[in-house]
Amino acid sequence: VSAAPVTRRHFLKVSVAAGGGMIIGFYLPEALPASVQPKPWTALPQGAEINAWLAIDAEGNVTIRVPHTEMGQGALTSVCMMIAEELNVDWSRVRAVFADPNRHLRNGNEYKTMFTAGSAVVRRQHPHIMQAGASARERLKEAAAQAWGVQRGAVEATLGVLKSGARSGTYAEFATAAAAVALPEEPAIKTPDQWWLLGRPVKRLDVDVKSNGSAAYAIDVKLPGMAYAAVKACPVPWGRLGRFDAAAIRARPGVIGAHELKAVTGKTGLSDLQDAVAVVADSWWRAKTALDALPVEWDYGSGASVSSESQLAEARERLAAPGEVVSDEGGAPAWAGEPKELTADYYRPYETHARMEPINATVSVTPERIDVWSPTQDQSVALQLAADQAGVGIEKVFVHTVFLGGGFGGNGAGGTAVTRQATELSKRLQRPVKVIWSREEDIAQDKQRPPNLTRFAASLAPETRLPSAWTTRSIWFTQDAVARVGPATADYAISNMPYKVPHRRHERINGKAHIPVATHRAPGTNQHGFMTECFVDEVALAGGWDPLEWRLKMTEGLDDWQLVLRTLKEKSGFRTGLPRGRGMGVAIVEDHGSICAACATVSVTRGGELAVEKVVIAIDCGHVINPLNAAEQCEGSVCWELSHAWMGGLELREGRFVNTNFDSYPLLRFNQMPEVEVHFALSGGGKWGGIGEPAGPPVPPAVANAIFFATGNRIRSTPFKKHDLSWS
Amino acid sequence: MPTFTLTVNGKTRVLDVEPEMPLLWALREQLGLTGTKYGCGIAQCGACTVHVDGRPVRSCAVAVSVVAGKRVTTIEGLANGNEPHPVQAAWVEVGVPQCGYCQSGQVMSAAALLADHPDPTDAEIDAAMAGNLCRCGTYLRIRRGIRTAAALIAKKGAPS
């Protein structure tokens, strides 16, 4: 790769039909070979930079640099909306580009964070993102004020025009001067009552390029001289690579060589190398087929003795003894012994992310610099991984942000070994290397959602038939018996359920397994929401309560929970007593600061064939900045969690997963998708909840509860497809 | 190695590859048409859907030798010049894509459906689209997009 000058435009200009001539710019990775130079991003013609977040060109177009990744959740559009709101600029003037991770790290985390997870881009980051827009607006006003000899307070900034009395000028005219303005004090961000853009439905900026095949993903990057690699790590995680016979594939078309990748002793991080063999060729298909033909011996290690059955047996055994007390309400002296009236065990198995874009990374290591393309939820982490693997300083590494074919909490290339694999191979081969994990490798080597077995017990007060005591004891399995992905993943939706019970205790047991785990869209709540909210129905029905009225009663005094439940009641028309074979079920779960309730309507044939007809969602995320995207995220979350609960579940046998591809890990298909209705029940004020994840967790329990009403079958584990749902 | 001649998006292309190389990889790596995506390699997800002689085909499971002499259309060749295909126009109007990775395949399956059934029933839509997975869960908007595209076709006539 030579450092040739920029010889062509690097923007793909796209007119968005709806919304009026919006122009957005995307950096085209194919163009990169012509622009490999120290600052590929800032060298682009974007006009005068007012701050790191935005630049304004001579025509008044505003280029907004988005530090977060776009993996389908709409961050590209949301970040631009928040800045445009404060800047007071015509939305049709906005262009989006991804911010430069190298600049971010070089300048001491200039964008505060580039991590994109936790439904946080709006929920958590809106203050500093909006601040960047507000600051730019005030600097433009100050520049005009100084030029006109008036106070800044006398200048108005509206839709790209600065005005004071009879004087006026465009943002473009004052952009260069504004960049040099130092404000004595940064302005406050707007309150929701001052919004003119936020809160309105705005179409995503990336729809055009994603409808005509031109959207660029990491897997699409092609560099001059690039080689392709297919890799295979030990099918039993942490097993060791034995011998492999490279000579057996050497004569195959296009094969460049076979390489050993060895784990570094003592390194067990999610993104550290594990023992693997890589076949490099001039085409990925040739590399993959050669790898399939390569004789390889493995030492599977101790993990090979583990199966789903053995793990579940261990879980049951360990549940007999007390765990670490996570929460204990009601006081030990008043504790009325172990509740006995109702007990139930709930189980969720491993699940995988299975992003539609298989895990991949392309890295070019040269003596001068390293360039990285990877589908990661944190470009700055990918940058550091490549720097570490190559043994160079971070200032020499450049990560090029492209679209992600899904994220879902797994962090793709940032949370797996692929970035190190590609860096290592490129370093050895002295040419750019693209590593693609086959779908089979992606499922086998992804960092999985951990399994969990929870024992619930409750007793009921004689008079009210509401619970007087409620205990839970949960065991989950992680790679190193430490809650690496956070205790939240083990406890949320159990330890923090809203229902007031006089005596309540939650205990956790950290089980150890060789399978590496990671966060998975709505971590923790995605499994405990199911368990808790199904057991709630068991407790409510045992006490003779209507499940929805029980939840209303048990959240009395919690205004936001009441608002969501009342909205669900009104919009869903939930009722019990439908004809046999049909049922409605409800559930409510708090996740990432949002409270979300679901009502599912199902039908089950006598033979046990399930159809989920409809899901009604009521959600309180405090504020909604783009109702269109918020509704899309809710629909997507419904599909996500229904997939795992209905037909998902990874099965371990001899230490490895039986599921290898979409034939053995089926996901929800088009014809199985229920109708979804989304209702926002917003409590506003200081509440900012997430929207990318919270609508998933209440769906599986709502469906399972509906199945109970339809058939009398109480489901206490997933996937539903493994249960006999027939009735007579 | 033998050579295979096929028509891709209206242009004659000659491939000098193994006969068993899947069309998907020939398109992506030999011809640089990366709009067609790899998702599973076993015809389970539909991300690689293209048209062969007008029929929707999972290009990951079709060998180059099988499509020799045939007419292949990929997402890059679906529009009529600068005018998007009605399905693409509908996708933009409805705002279907989220991560977008599966959408080339979704658009190609939908376009093939509408070529056969300009006003499809829900059952016909289900049958045509059940082979295309979407992990983001855009299925409801895909259905809406197909209806919108059908209305566009009814108004303007079928695409050439």
Side-chain angles (χ1 to χ4, degrees):
Chain A
V1 180
S2 62
V6 177
T7 53
R8 49 183 276 208
R9 284 190 66 105
H10 306 292
F11 284 111
L12 172 65
K13 288 199 170 183
V14 180
S15 291
V16 174
M22 182 181 303
I23 305 292
I24 55 172
F26 286 110
Y27 193 70
L28 272 182
E30 294 84 6
L32 191 90
S35 66
V36 175
Q37 49 179 289
K39 297 203 291 182
W41 303 95
T42 48
L44 294 171
Q46 295 176 357
E49 174 175 309
I50 298 187
N51 57 34
W53 295 75
L54 63 100
I56 301 177
D57 73 10
E59 284 82 47
N61 296 313
V62 181
T63 298
I64 295 176
R65 299 184 190 129
V66 178
H68 296 287
T69 52
E70 177 55 67
M71 48 193 162
Q73 87 289 26
L76 191 79
T77 308
S78 301
V79 169
C80 290
M81 283 179 72
M82 290 189 279
I83 288 179
E85 169 68 57
E86 289 287 352
L87 191 59
N88 290 344
V89 66
D90 191 335
W91 183 238
S92 68
R93 292 288 189 179
V94 169
R95 298 172 177 192
V97 296
F98 290 112
D100 173 10
N102 184 285
R103 172 182 182 163
H104 169 70
L105 289 179
R106 211 169 53 228
N107 296 340
N109 297 333
E110 192 163 20
Y111 296 97
K112 281 205 186 252
T113 176
M114 300 193 85
F115 196 30
T116 310
S119 291
V121 170
V122 177
R123 176 172 73 103
R124 286 250 173 95
Q125 324 302 356
H126 78 269
H128 73 251
I129 294 173
M130 292 178 74
Q131 180 70 53
S135 179
R137 181 196 67 225
E138 291 305 307
R139 281 157 202 248
L140 286 162
K141 284 165 66 176
E142 180 63 29
Q146 286 175 12
W148 296 336
V150 300
Q151 292 295 307
R152 174 153 50 109
V155 180
E156 282 178 18
T158 315
L159 294 181
V161 176
L162 295 155
K163 204 173 172 200
S164 182
R167 295 173 188 249
S168 73
T170 63
Y171 284 9
E173 288 170 49
F174 290 97
T176 305
V181 166
L183 296 174
E185 194 181 343
E186 289 295 329
I189 63 169
K190 292 179 185 177
T191 50
D193 57 297
Q194 297 171 308
W195 292 349
W196 61 273
L197 177 62
L198 299 186
R200 298 181 185 197
V202 171
K203 289 225 170 102
R204 300 170 61 111
L205 294 172
D206 50 355
V207 169
D208 259 80
V209 292
K210 289 177 174 179
S211 300
N212 63 22
S214 66
Y217 301 81
I219 203 169
D220 301 328
V221 173
K222 190 169 186 177
L223 302 175
M226 185 174 82
Y228 298 80
V231 294
K232 189 176 182 61
C234 183
V236 180
W238 304 108
R240 303 308 302 251
L241 177 64
R243 286 179 306 174
F244 59 94
D245 183 10
I249 59 162
R250 199 154 288 148
R252 292 176 66 98
V255 167
I256 295 166
H259 290 260
E260 181 178 273
L261 295 166
K262 297 293 274 185
V264 179
T265 310
K267 284 200 166 191
T268 57
L270 299 181
S271 50
D272 289 325
L273 288 178
Q274 293 193 20
D275 275 21
V277 58
V279 171
V280 184
D282 64 355
S283 129
W284 187 77
W285 177 76
R286 288 173 179 147
K288 162 73 163 61
T289 47
L291 177 61
D292 289 344
L294 179 71
V296 185
E297 289 173 13
W298 300 100
D299 170 8
Y300 293 125
S302 59
S305 63
V306 180
S307 67
S308 292
E309 292 77 23
S310 74
Q311 197 179 62
L312 199 50
E314 182 193 340
R316 290 209 175 92
E317 194 182 313
R318 294 187 63 184
L319 278 187
E324 174 191 341
V325 176
V326 177
S327 58
D328 193 349
E329 294 164 29
W335 189 257
E338 288 297 314
K340 288 190 180 67
E341 199 161 340
L342 280 157
T343 62
D345 284 1
Y346 278 85
Y347 174 68
R348 297 290 307 258
Y350 285 107
E351 302 285 354
T352 195
H353 295 92
R355 293 150 286 244
M356 290 307 297
E357 181 186 11
I359 286 172
N360 68 90
T362 299
V363 177
S364 162
V365 176
T366 68
E368 295 78 36
R369 55 180 284 151
I370 296 175
D371 289 90
V372 179
W373 292 258
S374 69
T376 169
Q377 289 177 234
D378 193 333
Q379 307 99 304
S380 58
V381 167
L383 191 156
Q384 288 163 323
L385 289 174
D388 185 60
Q389 189 66 35
V392 303
I394 58 168
E395 70 284 351
K396 291 179 93 175
V397 185
F398 296 85
V399 171
H400 306 281
T401 308
V402 278
F403 289 117
L404 273 68
F408 312 122
N411 198 8
T416 65
V418 74
T419 305
R420 286 186 184 276
Q421 290 173 341
T423 306
E424 181 61 29
L425 290 170
S426 175
K427 190 177 150 189
R428 284 190 208 169
L429 290 157
Q430 298 181 22
R431 62 195 288 187
V433 173
K434 174 187 295 203
V435 174
I436 303 174
W437 288 10
S438 66
R439 175 57 65 192
E440 291 79 7
E441 184 74 359
D442 178 290
I443 290 180
Q445 303 297 337
D446 189 19
K447 310 307 174 198
Q448 321 293 3
R449 163 166 148 183
N452 188 296
L453 178 72
T454 297
R455 180 158 296 162
F456 287 81
S459 56
L460 303 182
E463 315 259 302
T464 60
R465 302 297 286 160
L466 290 168
S468 53
W470 184 295
T471 64
T472 42
R473 186 177 289 165
S474 257
I475 180 166
W476 69 321
F477 290 86
T478 71
Q479 181 189 314
D480 48 9
V482 174
R484 188 189 283 278
V485 296
T489 301
D491 304 322
Y492 267 23
I494 291 190
S495 60
N496 65 341
M497 73 166 190
Y499 311 121
K500 292 195 177 70
V501 179
H503 304 288
R504 216 176 99 181
R505 190 179 59 202
H506 173 57
E507 298 170 19
R508 182 192 345 127
I509 298 166
N510 294 320
K512 185 177 159 93
H514 64 296
I515 302 292
V517 301
T519 47
H520 194 269
R521 200 176 193 176
T525 54
N526 55 17
Q527 44 199 6
H528 300 135
F530 165 75
M531 299 175 174
T532 299
E533 286 293 296
C534 286
F535 189 65
V536 159
D537 260 39
E538 293 198 60
V539 171
L541 294 174
W545 284 79
D546 171 276
L548 184 50
E549 296 304 320
W550 188 99
R551 288 173 172 85
L552 279 162
K553 175 71 182 170
M554 293 292 287
T555 55
E556 275 178 352
L558 301 173
D559 291 346
D560 42 4
W561 290 79
Q562 293 276 307
L563 174 66
V564 172
L565 284 168
R566 290 211 186 93
T567 304
L568 187 77
K569 185 178 175 177
E570 180 197 325
K571 301 293 184 185
S572 71
F574 169 77
R575 63 194 178 95
T576 57
L578 294 179
R580 198 121 168 101
R582 287 191 80 224
M584 298 175 88
V586 295
I588 183 166
V589 180
E590 182 174 20
D591 175 83
H592 287 101
S594 295
I595 298 165
C596 184
C599 175
T601 304
V602 308
S603 62
V604 183
T605 64
R606 279 180 194 277
E609 198 74 26
L610 171 68
V612 182
E613 296 174 4
K614 185 175 180 179
V615 173
V616 177
I617 294 289
I619 185 165
D620 176 18
C621 48
H623 300 276
V624 169
I625 68 160
N626 185 353
L628 183 60
N629 187 52
E632 288 175 5
Q633 289 307 301
C634 289
E635 291 167 13
S637 296
V638 169
C639 178
W640 177 259
E641 260 318 284
L642 199 49
S643 273
H644 311 124
W646 188 350
M647 54 212 49
L650 294 176
E651 191 188 334
L652 265 178
R653 204 178 293 161
E654 294 178 348
R656 64 179 88 176
F657 292 112
V658 171
N659 322 66
T660 57
N661 204 321
F662 294 129
D663 50 352
S664 48
Y665 190 69
L667 299 167
L668 196 86
R669 290 189 177 273
F670 184 90
N671 52 319
Q672 296 163 316
M673 180 73 184
E675 182 190 340
V676 178
E677 250 180 54
V678 179
H679 301 280
F680 298 106
L682 304 176
S683 57
K687 179 171 188 163
W688 286 79
I691 200 67
E693 305 172 71
V699 176
V703 170
N705 290 336
I707 290 171
F708 176 79
F709 283 114
T711 68
N713 290 305
R714 173 57 66 191
I715 295 177
R716 298 194 182 92
S717 68
T718 63
F720 302 155
K721 71 172 182 201
K722 284 196 174 172
H723 294 263
D724 178 8
L725 301 181
S726 62
W727 54 277
S728 53
Chain B
M1 228 171 275
T3 61
F4 303 95
T5 304
L6 51 159
T7 308
V8 180
N9 298 333
K11 289 187 190 134
T12 302
R13 309 298 297 256
V14 180
L15 291 166
D16 183 8
V17 298
E18 301 88 316
E20 68 273 22
M21 178 181 280
L23 176 60
L24 167 67
W25 296 105
L27 291 170
R28 287 183 58 83
E29 295 182 348
Q30 310 297 317
L31 303 180
L33 296 169
T34 54
T36 305
K37 299 298 193 234
Y38 165 63
C40 69
I42 57 166
Q44 286 288 311
C45 78
C48 66
T49 306
V50 299
H51 297 174
V52 175
D53 287 346
R55 309 303 313 154
V57 160
R58 313 297 181 213
S59 64
C60 75
V62 175
V64 163
S65 57
V66 172
V67 293
K70 296 188 191 296
R71 192 165 45 85
V72 176
T73 305
T74 71
I75 186 74
E76 291 90 347
L78 190 64
N80 182 11
N82 288 326
E83 191 188 342
H85 186 280
V87 170
Q88 293 171 312
W91 252 231
V92 172
E93 190 178 326
V94 172
V96 173
Q98 289 188 25
C99 92
Y101 192 82
C102 73
Q103 295 297 341
S104 294
Q106 305 281 2
V107 166
M108 296 308 284
S109 286
L113 163 71
L114 291 170
D116 283 351
H117 305 280
D119 186 19
T121 63
D122 272 335
E124 284 164 347
I125 297 177
D126 280 354
M129 303 308 293
N132 289 78
L133 283 175
C134 172
R135 196 69 165 126
C136 297
T138 63
Y139 296 133
L140 298 169
R141 290 181 195 258
I142 289 172
R143 190 182 295 279
R144 215 176 296 170
I146 291 171
R147 291 266 171 246
T148 302
L152 285 174
I153 291 168
K155 203 157 70 182
K156 285 185 173 175
S160 52

